[in-house]
Amino acid sequence: MTPAELTGQVRTHIADLADPPCALHASVIAPFVNLRRAALADGFDLIPVSGFRDFARQLAIWNGKFSGATPLYDASGRPLDATRLPPPQRIGAIVQWSAIPGASRHHWGTDLDLIDRRAVGPGYRVQLTAAEFTPPGPFAPLAQW
């Protein structure tokens, strides 16, 4: 991969999958499709809620958390008030859950945030917190799988 691909500046290494819709590194598509097929056989509708993220998207996530506009959590998943933390502590809290822009493996198209679509109803807002993936969270069976 080139430096521009590694840092999410370009998407020349990315392919778009139609079902389920997502963007992944071209060499990740076949393994993901195989994993999805195995999950379906065991009763899970495995879908990515996030795949490839370009630099601008990662920067928006980072800035939202740094400014307090989007939720910020401690290592245990408890909410934090970003505006009450000095910048070094705020950065430490952000990197518990989100990569620094330019340093995210989502830029590579190889990291995915996955859920079981069958576990939640329409309109459910995925948070990707530990509470969702441990009992009695909706994705605990998938995490156990």
Side-chain angles (χ1 to χ4, degrees):
M1 289 178 54
T2 69
E5 289 171 337
L6 287 171
T7 57
Q9 300 294 320
V10 298
R11 52 180 292 140
T12 51
H13 57 303
I14 299 300
D16 291 307
L17 185 62
D19 184 30
C22 60
L24 305 171
H25 189 285
S27 66
V28 173
I29 298 263
F32 171 69
V33 169
N34 290 335
L35 177 66
R36 180 167 159 66
R37 188 177 300 119
L40 282 169
D42 287 342
F44 299 103
D45 185 8
L46 193 66
I47 61 162
V49 290
S50 181
F52 170 75
R53 256 187 236 138
D54 67 15
F55 182 90
R57 177 68 184 124
Q58 192 68 28
L59 182 61
I61 291 168
W62 181 273
N63 287 342
K65 290 180 178 186
F66 192 87
S67 71
T70 57
L72 179 62
Y73 301 98
D74 69 11
S76 299
R78 292 182 299 260
L80 294 171
D81 182 351
T83 62
R84 294 183 177 265
L85 297 174
Q89 288 180 346
R90 202 177 311 175
I91 290 167
I94 295 169
V95 298
Q96 290 289 322
W97 299 94
S98 298
I100 296 168
S104 174
R105 290 185 305 190
H106 282 277
H107 297 328
W108 306 352
T110 58
D111 277 26
L112 308 163
D113 297 323
L114 301 168
I115 65 162
D116 174 15
R117 181 170 29 197
R118 293 180 181 160
V120 293
Y124 179 84
R125 188 166 184 263
V126 176
Q127 300 294 308
L128 297 175
T129 60
E132 290 179 308
F133 291 87
T134 56
F139 310 125
L142 175 63
Q144 182 64 37
W145 180 76

